[in-house]
Amino acid sequence: MKKTLYIFTNGQFHRKDNTIYFETEQGEKRFIPVEDTGEIMIFGEVDINKRFLEFLSQKEIILHYFSHYGYYMGSFYPREHLNSGYMILRQAEHYIDENKRLSIARLLVEGAGKNILRVLKYYKARDKKVDNSIVTIETLLGTIATCNDIPSLMAIEGNMREAYYKAFDEIIELPDFIFENRTRRPPKNYLNTLISFGNSLLYTICLGEIYRTHLDPRIGFLHTTNFRRFTLNLDIAEIFKPLIVDRVIFSLLGRKMITTDDFERGSEGILMKDRAKRCFIEQMEEKLKTTIKHREIGRAVSYRRLIRLELYKLEKHLMGEKVYEPFIATW
Amino acid sequence: MSDADIGVGGTLVWYYYICLRQVWLISHQITPDADDGNLILGRFIGETSYNREKKELAIGSSKMDVYHFNNGEMVVGEVKKSSKYNQSARMQLAFYLKELHKRGIQARGELRFPQEKKKEEVILDEDTLAEIERVERDILRLVYLQQPPPPVKNRFCKKCAYSEFCWS
Ligand code: SF4
């Protein structure tokens, strides 16, 4: 599987014939193995030019860039290389037809909720007091079937997350990392900063997997499409956030790999220092490489691959072959 | 979609004998991710073996790997990576022979498996011709289906680039 390249330092990308290299401000050069790279994530201040982008297009490498605060800013998404008119029509059809769209959106919310429950039950078995959140989420899950429009489905999703985040303080048990409220841009406390950073990473990873399928990332089902933004990756990320991002956060904090020293206060709110971002990314990469046994496929499959399989299942749903069944963790 | 776009072609004949589902998927441009190892190997062998005599002969939507004349007779060759797909390879070549025949060219076929240092002859007799015509009709029928035929586990699934798609 192709690798993700992370750039933290400031510098410039260059293309020299059939290779590309990154040159830091200090003049240090680092060559990039293009055949082996699936995407590049830029956190530093980096200059690029058209020749470089042309080469990325040719090599089908996606580039994502993040602000100084670690917020996702945007992507260079080279022209789709896998194209099926048939699939695009099916995807659009399932967006335009209210009922078809609603049934996919319901499955996504249900999948997200069940994976959240899985995480909470794991901690309940370890004597954490998360019962209230579990009850609330179970009740909310029961209302999905009767929910008849996207905004109320989004509301259920929001309420589930709220109940879930309430349990974070109980799980993490660190006074410095109190949840308070979910705040996004800019996050107002350390925990929110971590959640925002992790979610942004997952969104770009899902986008990278979508690029390797026939789906159009601009047509989401739960998240409303306006064709200017990518939304399908946000949909798919819902399924995996509890299993990937949140678990990474719990282990980073539980093992004191990230502490309050890893943050600083900027003019726009709290930001993570580079060391913490790197540490987060490393743990995230580890998690994505972790494999589980897949019964149907008959071998071990990594979390990253599970994201791709989720997209394949969605494609089959759109083709009218098999109703989409979100991946639900079983442990 | 017109028939010309679909172009039954040698590729679909090849996949017809492996898996009907695959025929449908390919004809709907639902192609697997290109970083799959097996696909790459197939291309590599086609490009590198028998370099000296290799010429490409394009007829309709088909492309033949090599051809040469032997005592005035035309020999069309197909290079394949393994004889595991023998039936597919035979019928694909027979399809090419039929295409040539339609254009008034009498030719004989030769299957080559460079990795196994093996050759096999293919001749377009009446039975083969009838079978090819049946397959062409059946491929068209398949392609017009609203949904792909459901996946059925077979001996090719394990190495198939679609396996994750089919079995997810
Ligand atoms: S995985 Fe099996 S069923 Fe699916 S296309 Fe390949 S051979 Fe056919």
Side-chain angles (χ1 to χ4, degrees):
Chain A
M1 194 159 305
K2 296 198 174 178
K3 298 198 179 73
T4 306
L5 181 78
Y6 297 90
I7 301 283
F8 281 96
T9 35
N10 300 344
Q12 249 180 325
F13 270 116
H14 296 276
R15 170 180 178 181
K16 194 169 179 285
D17 306 323
N18 277 324
T19 54
I20 48 177
Y21 65 91
F22 181 72
E23 188 172 5
T24 63
E25 283 173 335
Q26 288 76 37
E28 228 175 274
K29 284 180 189 169
R30 177 172 163 204
F31 280 85
I32 291 148
V34 278
E35 305 300 338
D36 215 32
T37 304
E39 55 219 332
I40 300 177
M41 308 251 209
I42 299 182
F43 292 91
E45 288 298 323
V46 169
D47 290 330
I48 51 177
N49 58 33
K50 192 168 138 225
R51 266 167 53 79
F52 169 73
L53 290 176
E54 273 165 2
F55 195 59
L56 290 191
S57 254
Q58 203 183 317
K59 295 289 169 190
E60 295 160 4
I61 297 173
I62 314 178
L63 183 143
H64 308 284
Y65 42 100
F66 295 80
S67 74
H68 182 54
Y69 282 80
Y71 308 147
Y72 170 71
M73 301 289 289
S75 303
F76 170 70
Y77 194 80
R79 193 182 59 246
E80 274 97 334
H81 57 292
L82 296 175
N83 237 323
S84 163
Y86 169 85
M87 192 61 82
I88 290 176
L89 289 177
R90 293 288 86 80
Q91 194 180 352
E93 173 197 340
H94 281 77
Y95 181 81
I96 295 167
D97 184 316
E98 288 264 350
N99 286 325
K100 287 184 179 163
R101 179 177 169 199
L102 201 56
S103 54
I104 296 175
R106 279 202 194 105
L107 291 166
L108 290 166
V109 174
E110 195 183 301
K114 286 185 175 165
N115 282 324
I116 285 174
L117 275 183
R118 184 54 58 197
V119 171
L120 290 176
K121 285 181 176 164
Y122 170 90
Y123 285 104
K124 180 182 155 72
R126 272 152 194 76
D127 292 330
K128 304 275 189 179
K129 293 183 194 60
V130 294
D131 278 320
N132 285 343
S133 302
I134 291 180
V135 171
T136 310
I137 290 165
E138 276 172 345
T139 313
L140 286 166
L141 272 173
T143 65
I144 290 176
T146 55
C147 184
N148 281 320
D149 56 80
I150 298 285
S152 29
L153 208 47
M154 286 291 267
I156 294 180
E157 202 268 336
N159 293 340
M160 280 195 318
R161 290 228 145 241
E162 200 184 312
Y164 172 47
Y165 286 137
K166 278 208 178 104
F168 272 38
D169 293 347
E170 184 62 39
I171 294 170
I172 296 169
E173 286 187 298
L174 292 172
D176 285 335
F177 288 89
I178 296 281
F179 181 72
E180 293 164 68
N181 284 308
R182 177 81 179 111
T183 53
R184 287 185 174 80
R185 289 188 180 194
K188 292 274 190 300
N189 63 43
Y190 301 136
L191 188 54
N192 271 300
T193 306
L194 289 173
I195 294 172
S196 292
F197 185 71
N199 287 349
S200 300
L201 286 179
L202 187 61
Y203 295 147
T204 60
I205 285 154
C206 291
L207 187 58
E209 293 302 316
I210 292 171
Y211 188 63
R212 322 243 162 238
T213 70
H214 303 80
L215 294 165
D216 188 318
R218 295 168 301 178
I219 308 178
F221 300 97
L222 178 60
H223 291 86
T224 297
T225 292
N226 65 15
F227 290 106
R228 271 172 293 147
R229 285 195 309 130
F230 298 127
T231 46
L232 184 62
N233 57 331
L234 309 185
D235 280 7
I236 292 297
E238 291 300 333
I239 304 290
F240 293 97
K241 274 184 203 168
L243 306 178
I244 298 177
V245 179
D246 302 336
R247 280 172 168 174
V248 164
I249 293 175
F250 298 149
S251 81
L252 283 170
L253 295 178
R255 284 143 72 190
K256 306 262 186 299
M257 294 168 84
I258 289 183
T259 66
T260 51
D261 293 340
D262 287 308
F263 296 84
E264 56 198 6
R265 203 163 285 276
S267 53
E268 282 181 58
I270 291 172
L271 64 146
M272 285 161 83
K273 293 180 187 163
D274 278 355
R275 197 206 71 86
K277 287 182 199 157
R278 283 184 197 181
C279 188
F280 199 124
I281 286 167
E282 258 168 47
Q283 291 303 303
M284 186 96 161
E285 285 279 326
E286 273 308 303
K287 181 59 97 191
L288 289 167
K289 270 191 247 156
T290 315
T291 58
I292 62 154
K293 178 92 179 134
H294 193 289
R295 203 176 309 135
E296 270 74 27
I297 292 178
R299 58 181 163 76
V301 170
S302 69
Y303 269 98
R304 197 185 181 106
R305 205 62 179 178
L306 280 177
I307 297 175
R308 178 85 66 88
L309 298 187
E310 214 59 11
L311 297 165
Y312 289 157
K313 287 190 282 179
L314 195 57
E315 288 189 325
K316 287 191 283 189
H317 181 104
L318 302 177
M319 288 159 66
E321 241 210 308
K322 193 173 161 194
V323 175
Y324 169 60
E325 261 181 63
F327 171 78
I328 311 294
T330 51
W331 60 98
Chain B
M1 225 191 310
S2 72
D3 288 2
D5 283 333
I6 296 167
V8 165
T11 317
L12 291 187
V13 172
W14 165 273
Y15 286 110
Y16 183 82
Y17 289 96
I18 292 175
C19 170
L20 300 185
R21 178 175 172 80
Q22 223 172 120
V23 171
W24 191 96
L25 292 171
I26 290 168
S27 63
H28 288 74
Q29 298 96 41
I30 302 175
T31 44
D33 189 3
D35 54 43
D36 184 277
N38 283 315
L39 282 182
I40 292 165
L41 181 64
R43 228 179 286 139
F44 176 77
I45 290 173
E47 280 162 13
T48 54
S49 311
Y50 299 110
N51 251 337
R52 270 165 304 162
E53 68 175 337
K54 183 174 169 172
K55 293 193 187 76
E56 223 163 45
L57 182 62
I59 294 187
S61 51
S62 313
K63 254 193 206 148
M64 268 140 280
D65 285 348
V66 280
Y67 75 101
H68 63 106
F69 287 90
N70 207 352
N71 301 327
E73 186 190 29
M74 187 176 191
V75 182
V76 177
E78 261 286 292
V79 180
K80 290 298 172 195
K81 67 174 175 181
S82 134
S83 57
K84 188 177 162 203
Y85 303 96
N86 206 325
Q87 201 193 5
S88 286
R90 289 189 74 83
M91 294 315 286
Q92 187 185 32
L93 194 44
F95 172 82
Y96 291 158
L97 295 179
K98 196 209 84 174
E99 292 286 293
L100 285 169
H101 185 74
K102 252 185 9 200
R103 290 163 175 79
I105 302 168
Q106 217 50 50
R108 181 164 70 75
E110 206 173 78
L111 280 181
R112 299 173 170 198
F113 306 98
Q115 281 185 339
E116 298 165 20
K117 299 200 171 24
K118 243 171 43 182
K119 278 187 192 179
E120 223 174 87
E121 187 156 79
V122 179
I123 289 172
L124 190 67
D125 53 22
E126 243 172 69
D127 287 352
T128 318
L129 190 64
E131 167 71 355
I132 278 291
E133 281 167 354
R134 181 192 68 79
V135 169
E136 280 183 87
R137 281 192 304 274
D138 203 37
I139 287 176
L140 276 182
R141 175 193 65 84
L142 262 171
V143 166
Y144 283 111
L145 290 179
Q146 283 295 313
Q147 265 127 44
V152 180
K153 273 243 167 55
N154 66 59
R155 68 193 176 102
F156 299 108
C157 286
K158 242 193 153 83
K159 286 234 167 120
C160 177
Y162 285 104
S163 68
E164 288 187 342
F165 177 80
C166 289
W167 305 108
S168 58

